[in-house]
Amino acid sequence: MKTEVAVIGAGPAGSSAALALSKKGIPNVLIDKKNTVGIPVQCAEFVGLNINTYVNLSSIPSAISRSIRFTDIDVGDNIYRFDGKGYMLNRDVFDRYMADSAVRAGTSLLTASRVFNIDGRKNRIDVLDLKENKPSKIYYDYLIVAAGPKSTLSVIPKNRSYIFAAQVKVNLLKGLDSVICFFRPYIPYGYGWIFPKGRFANVGIGIEKPISGMPLSFALDKFLEEMRTAEFIGTEIAGKTSGIVPVSGLNDINTGNIVLCGDAAGLTHPITGAGILNAVMSGELAGNYIAESVKTSKNLLNDYREEIESVFKKPMRIAFEKRSVLYPSMTDIKGINDKIKYLWPSFNEYYRKT
Ligand SMILES: Cc1cc2nc3c(=O)[nH]c(=O)nc-3n(C[C@H](O)[C@H](O)[C@H](O)COP(=O)(O)OP(=O)(O)OC[C@H]3O[C@@H](n4cnc5c(N)ncnc54)[C@H](O)[C@@H]3O)c2cc1C
């Protein structure tokens, strides 16, 4: 098969890229290894109000589980409250809507199809149809890699730092209109969260396991126990998930006629771990720059890189530095209390030097 643009990964980044391409009439194929786009969900599902700049959420009410008004930061002794308007998504519905929008605009979607090789010299990807166990080749003029945080695909840089996250969906005992982040000594280089979803909540932890040496299940069990004792949550577990979040900042995002976007580009915030909005933004930008490149027969991918760097490079670098300097000193409640204002971007102190 030959296509103008191949897009690997139908998460928010890849589907946004495919939609941008199709809106401009550029033929493209969107490929995902999942049987059904969006399933399983590996996300705590909070997104800020500014997602509406890119995706009009009011047109997809089923993608919204509930509205959120505040972000609370719980450090044990103190709870800080910030304006934090946004939504708890139903990520599966959201991801499917994004991919379906691209398909309606002209994208060809291949599901249950895993890209297992990129041959950049021949402009070719090798794809395995997972249902038929049948390989095929797709030739492209441009390639967008939106395959998420970690992949065996060689263009995604290795040796990066990751947060390892584990989460359960459990019944919520308190009415909440906030997302709450908990900093505790037993959750090193990361935090715990309760993000409400109706009668349930996504309750999880993320830690930088290789540095902390802390087993994920130990920290999660301790966190769930603390939350049960505080009568935040009950014992009715409706689901479990896990995943990884890249936390070392922006990767090299273009080479030749290949670009990265979303988590593959390292675009999750190194401290909060938020990445949905950045995935949508970067995917749309990648799609637009490639559409322009195709139309003008001029490779504009350095312009994509420049625009991404102008928006993300500095904030990502600051967040990464703060992560490296501050987390090692947050090993007890006093360390957390002393440092939290410099670590979390909702505080004014975050924007001062540490
Ligand atoms: C536990 C957890 C909680 C999180 N909570 C939040 C949150 O509350 N808010 C927030 O903003 N962000 C959160 N994030 C981060 C957020 O989920 C990601 O930033 C976002 O999903 C990135 O989108 P993406 O499109 O780049 O990648 P993904 O959503 O990971 O999509 C990549 C797609 O590529 C496909 N794929 C991968 N390899 C291949 C291959 N070889 N061939 C074919 N297809 C392939 C995958 O199946 C997947 O569908 C969380 C992450 C985790 C792990």
Side-chain angles (χ1 to χ4, degrees), residues 9 11-13 32-33 42-46 91 115 146-147 262-263 268 275-276:
D32 204 292
K33 63 186 179 186
Q42 292 173 291
C43 186
E45 303 178 279
F46 174 73
R91 256 299 291 272
V115 176
D263 276 17
T268 34
I276 299 170

Side-chain angles (χ1 to χ4, degrees), residues 11-296:
S15 293
S16 300
L19 176 61
L21 287 160
S22 288
K23 275 183 176 170
K24 298 202 164 172
I26 308 297
N28 63 92
V29 180
L30 176 62
I31 306 145
D32 204 292
K33 63 186 179 186
K34 292 179 176 172
N35 284 338
T36 307
V37 169
I39 296 176
V41 172
Q42 292 173 291
C43 186
E45 303 178 279
F46 174 73
V47 72
L49 216 50
N50 41 4
I51 188 74
N52 284 304
T53 313
Y54 296 87
V55 184
N56 179 10
L57 272 185
S58 59
S59 66
I60 25 166
S62 57
I64 302 174
S65 169
R66 59 158 301 153
S67 294
I68 293 293
R69 290 176 64 202
F70 304 106
T71 299
D72 293 336
I73 303 296
D74 182 320
V75 294
D77 296 352
N78 292 309
I79 299 172
Y80 301 92
R81 168 157 284 197
F82 300 97
D83 221 8
K85 292 191 181 58
Y87 309 99
M88 283 300 294
L89 294 175
N90 295 317
R91 256 299 291 272
D92 52 341
V93 179
F94 178 78
D95 281 19
R96 275 205 301 281
Y97 171 83
M98 299 294 288
D100 288 349
S101 301
V103 169
R104 276 195 301 274
T107 295
S108 304
L109 173 65
L110 301 180
T111 51
S113 300
R114 184 169 64 81
V115 176
F116 61 92
N117 181 44
I118 297 174
D119 187 334
R121 277 182 311 117
K122 293 185 178 149
N123 290 341
R124 191 193 79 208
I125 52 177
D126 298 324
V127 184
L128 184 67
D129 180 324
L130 297 169
K131 286 193 174 141
E132 307 282 331
N133 197 25
K134 204 171 130 200
S136 65
K137 300 179 193 313
I138 299 180
Y139 290 87
Y140 58 81
D141 290 334
Y142 287 92
L143 176 65
I144 297 178
V145 180
K150 206 172 192 183
S151 158
T152 51
L153 297 173
S154 53
V155 288
I156 298 184
K158 296 189 175 58
N159 303 322
R160 311 282 295 169
S161 312
Y162 297 94
I163 284 278
F164 292 75
Q167 177 179 278
V168 295
K169 188 173 177 185
V170 58
N171 60 319
L172 187 62
L173 302 179
K174 291 188 181 177
L176 293 179
D177 56 2
S178 59
V179 286
I180 316 179
C181 301
F182 296 83
F183 287 84
R184 296 291 186 269
Y186 64 82
I187 311 175
Y189 298 86
Y191 63 91
W193 62 82
I194 296 190
F195 288 7
K197 280 197 83 176
R199 197 169 79 71
F200 288 89
N202 290 333
V203 181
I205 55 144
I207 59 180
E208 207 170 327
K209 207 169 47 165
I211 297 185
S212 67
M214 173 80 73
L216 206 54
S217 59
F218 173 81
L220 179 63
D221 287 348
K222 207 162 157 55
F223 182 56
L224 292 175
E225 190 186 307
E226 184 186 333
M227 294 304 110
R228 283 192 184 114
T229 306
E231 297 183 346
F232 264 115
I233 56 169
T235 52
E236 192 186 334
I237 304 277
K240 290 184 182 180
T241 190
S242 60
I244 58 170
V245 180
V247 289
S248 30
L250 200 55
N251 297 331
D252 262 352
I253 58 169
N254 69 316
T255 164
N257 53 352
I258 302 177
V259 289
L260 309 186
C261 53
D263 276 17
L267 280 170
T268 34
H269 192 280
I271 291 170
T272 66
I276 299 170
L277 177 65
N278 294 354
V280 170
M281 269 176 82
S282 58
E284 188 178 304
L285 268 183
N288 284 335
Y289 273 107
I290 290 184
E292 212 44 37
S293 300
V294 172
K295 284 187 171 164
T296 58

